[in-house]
Amino acid sequence: MSSFAPLLVARALTLAALLPSGDGLAVAATGARRELTTDRPDSTESPFTIEPGHVQAEMDFANYTRDRSGGTTATQWEAAPLNLRVGVAADLEVGIFVTPFQRQDERTAAGPWTRSHGFGDLVWRTKLNLFGNDGGGPALGAIADVKLPTASGGLGNGKFEAEFIVPVAFALPGGWSAGAMTGVALVHDGTSYQAVWGNTFTCGRELATDLAGFLEVTSSAGSGPHVASFNAGLTRRFGRDLQFDVGVNLGLSRQAPDSLIFAGLARRF
């Protein structure tokens, strides 16, 4: 499985670079295509699914996370983490999250850096839209994620984990759009499995033709400390099937990473 994932990423990158965006690309078997919707760059997942006959690749070119807490400094790089989404029915899609390479560095004030690097965990996703998939009003979805412990030594916790998410999208006055999600994750804390409840809210609007911005707050809590962040970014559309984005996530709570900087794209085929 880990040898297949880098090949998948390479092919997606090649297609994104070489194929033109526009109305002539990959007409869906069901007819007219929906407006491009993405699960990035914010943390709030969308309730919308990909039409059958389409594939959508959503990825960071790279991202960088930095955190200083309790005398320890930790950084993490990820190269080309990819969410590959495949439409299998009118309101159903499946997807897989792949992290081909990540590096984690950590040190205490008086100690040397320790480093781990390699392939990351895989996440398998199933998403169902309950209503509103074709626009015209609020939309609601249901998402089930299963994490497969495929990470190289020193990365990940080596445990299967799962999450169930309910995302919603709706319009706000003044040309703003909004989304929110709530969910519960079953995570392993090194001793046992614990439930972690997460909530997010995001809003955005068009700033100029094909240029939009978003603001977001996220929060999660369980048996451990509360983790909260404030996120912001910009998106730029090119045609109907291509979007680039940049943004930053800033920690609001002590246990959240201090900052995460990213740049990426979403490409529909």
Side-chain angles (χ1 to χ4, degrees), residues 55-79:
V55 174
Q56 189 160 305
E58 303 182 7
M59 60 171 289
D60 286 351
F61 300 116
N63 63 56
Y64 173 74
T65 304
R66 182 178 178 84
D67 184 43
R68 298 181 66 182
S69 178
T72 299
T73 300
T75 63
Q76 176 175 287
W77 287 93
E78 291 185 342

